[in-house]
Amino acid sequence: MTEAASGPVTVLDTPWDAAVFGVRTAEVRLAGGQWSTEDAREDALHGALAELITNGGYDLLYGRVTPDPAVVRALRRAGFSACETQVVYTLSSRHWQPQSAGSGGIAVHPATSSDLESVVTASMGLFRYSRFHEDPEIPKALADARMVAWVRDLVARATPLLVARSSAGALIGYMFCTAGPSVQLTLGGSTPAASFLAPRFWAGVVDSLFRSGARAISAAVSAANVPMMRVYGDLRFNAVRSGVDYHWHRPGRVLGVPR
């Protein structure tokens, strides 16, 4: 990842997304700082974004920000549009109550090499909500391809992965996560055929992680994904913060078409 700073804006090239979308992409992060007024802060952020758009050579820029009027005004002045709203949830092992999962969680286990290809296959067309699925300028096929590429990358990096299968051996769901006392649920889902088991699958994932020594679990979910927000609520997760993803597309640039 290449990172560069332009005043209050940090730019991180995202070649993995560029490879899928066929355009030059980057994530922008807007820094805090001290300004004399909110108007001065807005102007500084807008100026840095305008410079990036003019001279950066990017075709697609995106960044997730917490609700902040000055930041939002600067982004909108620069031509960014709001896409996904994301809610971050956390749960402490002290507050975990397995019985809250209703009929109990489904048993999950660490993935083996024989699970990996079925996980990649299951990810194809599985996701409906993401920063790119909720961008009206990005075709669904490209958003789907980006998620599959993410899954393949997680597999290639040997990211911890939990899976659940039915008694007949069919994949029920999978979950990539980080390791350690504070675990982040990175990416996962239940297969369409087993979608009714999603609450029990998530309960099984949470129970397995706490039994393995995790003290806290965090997860991020799109606010448009109401069923999953309900699952996290039923499992006693607490919503701790939210962020909105803002995207800018170079006018006239078509995704997936070589320069």
Side-chain angles (χ1 to χ4, degrees), residues 99-121:
Q99 65 271 21
S100 69
S103 57
I106 293 175
V108 302
H109 62 82
T112 65
S113 58
S114 62
D115 293 312
L116 300 181
E117 191 54 41
S118 58
V119 166
V120 172
T121 300

Side-chain angles (χ1 to χ4, degrees), residues 79-172:
F80 284 73
S81 298
C83 294
E84 181 195 31
T85 297
Q86 190 181 82
V87 180
V88 176
Y89 289 89
T90 63
L91 178 65
S92 166
S93 58
R94 298 191 306 274
H95 300 137
W96 171 233
Q97 299 178 20
Q99 65 271 21
S100 69
S103 57
I106 293 175
V108 302
H109 62 82
T112 65
S113 58
S114 62
D115 293 312
L116 300 181
E117 191 54 41
S118 58
V119 166
V120 172
T121 300
S123 70
M124 298 176 181
L126 177 64
F127 300 98
R128 296 173 55 197
Y129 307 101
S130 75
R131 72 189 333 175
F132 297 121
H133 281 91
E134 296 177 52
D135 183 335
E137 302 297 324
I138 296 180
K140 182 179 183 300
L142 285 180
D144 286 346
R146 191 265 185 180
M147 299 302 282
V148 174
W150 188 7
V151 169
R152 290 188 184 279
D153 181 64
L154 291 169
V155 167
R157 290 190 283 118
T159 305
L161 171 63
L162 297 174
V163 299
R165 290 188 177 273
S166 69
S167 57
L171 184 68
I172 292 173

Side-chain angles (χ1 to χ4, degrees), residues 63-68 72 82-88 131 134 220-223 240-246:
R64 183 169 287 116
V65 300
T66 56
D68 183 306
V72 171
C83 294
E84 181 195 31
T85 297
Q86 190 181 82
V87 180
V88 176
R131 72 189 333 175
E134 296 177 52
V221 61
S222 168
V240 293
R241 65 181 181 277
S242 65
V244 180
D245 215 52
Y246 279 82

Side-chain angles (χ1 to χ4, degrees), residues 59 249-255:
D59 301 300
H249 291 263
R250 183 172 299 283
R253 186 70 176 94
V254 179
L255 294 176

Side-chain angles (χ1 to χ4, degrees), residues 150-243:
W150 188 7
V151 169
R152 290 188 184 279
D153 181 64
L154 291 169
V155 167
R157 290 190 283 118
T159 305
L161 171 63
L162 297 174
V163 299
R165 290 188 177 273
S166 69
S167 57
L171 184 68
I172 292 173
Y174 67 89
M175 179 63 69
F176 291 96
C177 56
T178 61
S182 296
V183 172
Q184 179 183 355
L185 303 185
T186 304
L187 182 66
S190 297
T191 62
S195 59
F196 67 99
L197 293 172
R200 294 183 58 200
F201 169 65
W202 252 260
V205 168
V206 170
D207 194 54
S208 175
L209 291 171
F210 281 140
R211 288 179 183 274
S212 298
R215 294 198 294 270
I217 299 173
S218 65
V221 61
S222 168
N225 192 351
V226 175
M228 276 312 309
M229 294 182 72
R230 187 176 298 119
V231 167
Y232 283 115
D234 289 344
L235 295 177
R236 307 294 179 88
F237 277 74
N238 291 317
V240 293
R241 65 181 181 277
S242 65

